[in-house]
Amino acid sequence: CCSGQDVRKYDRILQINNESDTPEGLKSKLEAAEGVVEILLQRPVEVNLQCEANEQLGATVSKGFLLGLEVTRVKEEGKVSSWNKENPTKAVEVGARLVAVNGVADADEALFSEVTKSGSKDLKICVYK
């Protein structure tokens, strides 16, 4: 592979050999591919948010993903909404991934437990634009 074009953790595969599909479909295409495989990746922008104990996150997340929790809703009020107003080019939207909370990373059950605890939270979110 070419320098600077390595696959990194949290990259999303968008296409295999110029074909888009669902994540399951892309996995099947990759498993069935022979010879040289062309992969189109989407690299996330990492957003770090600090949510104080008295602040609401203002987002709904869903479990069931290999890495992190998926943002399924952004509410009108809360830390995420405030961040989005101040940082429109790095806005956290539906489809973003919450990948770490207070140093706990990746495993959805552990992340979900950590994000639902009371208290301050240091959040790492991958935003895909």
Side-chain angles (χ1 to χ4, degrees), residues 9-10 68 99-101 103-108 110-111:
K9 189 175 186 178
Y10 308 123
V99 296
V101 180
V104 175
D106 301 333
D108 66 352
L111 275 173

Side-chain angles (χ1 to χ4, degrees), residues 19-64:
E19 292 184 38
S20 300
D21 207 332
T22 63
E24 296 79 19
L26 290 170
K27 181 181 180 217
S28 295
K29 288 179 189 323
L30 189 57
E31 290 170 342
E34 296 180 11
V36 176
V37 177
E38 186 176 321
I39 301 173
L40 177 63
L41 297 174
Q42 183 180 32
R43 183 143 299 149
V45 173
E46 291 183 6
V47 169
N48 294 295
L49 295 179
Q50 286 71 43
C51 192
E52 300 303 324
N54 62 342
E55 290 180 296
Q56 293 292 315
L57 180 59
T60 304
V61 294
S62 178
K63 297 186 276 185

Side-chain angles (χ1 to χ4, degrees), residues 7-12 43-44 46 67 105-106 126 128:
V7 178
R8 298 181 193 164
K9 189 175 186 178
Y10 308 123
D11 283 351
R12 280 191 176 164
R43 183 143 299 149
E46 291 183 6
L67 294 174
D106 301 333
C126 288
Y128 298 89

